[in-house]
Amino acid sequence: MKGNYTSRDLVRLASSRCAGCGDCCRNMGDSIRLDPYDAYMLSYGLHKPFQKLIENEVGFSVTNEQGLVLPHLMMKQVLRKADEKGQQAVTECTFLAADGKCRIHGVRPGVCRLFPLGRQYEESGITYFDLEACDMPGKSKVRIDKWLGIPDLEEYHAFKENWHTFCKRLSDRLSEEDQDTRKKINTLMLHMFFMTGYDGDFYECFEVRRKQAEQILL
Ligand code: SF4
């Protein structure tokens, strides 16, 4: 890993030779986790309430040892050509098309927008680093904010920091509770931030809910 970049830094990320291999969308397990902004964007872009997305495209998993549950994109098992001789079974994102392209590129989740970058939360704010997880040759430099393609990045950063802090505090609370209470807290949190749609300005709605959730759950 390298870098301690701000969103205005130029980093060698964009490969002119990227042929849409789709490798970064395969065998990802439950690692493509969703935050409330992702849930809002997916519902908006696919014209589906989040409750519908959990029928096939989104699952839930425990994300840490304290028992915090969050949604993630589902993988499906498919057969892909391995070499001249045959096929192999792989798991891939349900939104990956047969030609290796993302079917929801415009509303893809934050984890996908970031790749191959990682994000870290520091006192001075959010910074980025290169995971060095894509070895496609011929990369050129691109500014990180352009790479992410998220409008109102300042507001988005404020949201990410607040969500990150909320999840940390909720995890601390969960660590003090028994199994049944953890389940109830997770269910209520998922209902407040994911299962209930966002009308109007996302960031404003999120802030209202975050303050309510802090009173009820923390
Ligand atoms: S949403 Fe798109 S970019 Fe993200 S893993 Fe699925 S296919 Fe890949």
Side-chain angles (χ1 to χ4, degrees):
M1 291 191 303
K2 63 179 177 198
N4 191 16
Y5 307 115
T6 73
S7 58
R8 297 184 72 78
D9 283 330
L10 286 162
V11 183
R12 224 168 266 288
L13 295 170
S15 174
S16 54
R17 294 191 222 166
C18 174
C21 69
D23 280 357
C24 46
C25 311
R26 296 200 176 95
N27 301 319
M28 300 302 282
D30 58 9
S31 66
I32 305 184
R33 300 226 167 96
L34 305 179
D35 63 29
Y37 183 75
D38 296 327
Y40 160 73
M41 288 298 284
L42 283 173
S43 286
Y44 168 77
L46 298 172
H47 309 290
K48 269 189 191 181
F50 199 72
Q51 284 94 330
K52 280 271 167 207
L53 289 170
I54 65 176
E55 287 174 7
N56 292 306
E57 292 107 339
V58 171
F60 295 93
S61 55
V62 176
T63 63
N64 59 22
E65 59 186 24
Q66 291 91 345
L68 179 71
V69 173
L70 288 173
H72 63 263
L73 288 192
M74 295 283 279
M75 299 282 129
K76 63 177 182 214
Q77 197 161 60
V78 292
L79 286 173
R80 290 280 177 233
K81 191 173 174 191
D83 51 33
E84 298 312 310
K85 292 181 193 144
Q87 296 184 313
Q88 67 172 5
V90 294
T91 64
E92 62 183 34
C93 176
T94 58
F95 294 116
L96 187 66
D99 63 358
K101 303 250 167 66
C102 175
R103 290 192 288 112
I104 56 162
H105 189 73
V107 292
R108 68 200 185 284
V111 171
C112 310
R113 287 176 185 274
L114 260 184
F115 187 86
L117 292 172
R119 183 186 288 116
Q120 55 203 357
Y121 298 85
E122 296 176 299
E123 268 184 34
S124 54
I126 286 176
T127 59
Y128 295 90
F129 55 92
D130 188 350
L131 290 164
E132 300 181 303
C134 172
D135 52 13
M136 191 65 72
K139 288 184 186 151
S140 55
K141 284 189 174 179
V142 60
R143 224 170 70 176
I144 288 176
D145 54 1
K146 297 267 183 303
W147 181 254
L148 296 173
I150 296 171
D152 305 320
L153 195 59
E154 221 171 284
E155 249 185 324
Y156 178 77
H157 275 175
F159 151 71
K160 287 298 287 181
E161 286 180 306
N162 285 335
W163 179 242
H164 178 74
T165 303
F166 175 80
C167 287
K168 258 175 85 176
R169 291 182 64 199
L170 190 63
S171 297
D172 290 344
R173 163 86 203 274
L174 290 168
S175 68
E176 295 163 1
E177 303 293 351
D178 60 32
Q179 199 67 19
D180 275 358
T181 313
R182 280 185 199 176
K183 198 171 164 191
K184 283 181 194 148
I185 292 174
N186 274 317
T187 304
L188 193 50
M189 178 274 288
L190 292 169
H191 177 77
M192 289 181 83
F193 288 109
F194 293 93
M195 307 303 271
T196 308
Y198 290 86
D199 290 326
D201 182 85
F202 166 78
Y203 296 115
E204 277 175 22
C205 290
F206 170 77
E207 273 307 293
V208 170
R209 292 185 198 183
R210 181 176 68 86
K211 284 173 187 150
Q212 285 170 347
E214 281 183 359
Q215 283 179 354
I216 300 166
L217 301 175
L218 299 182

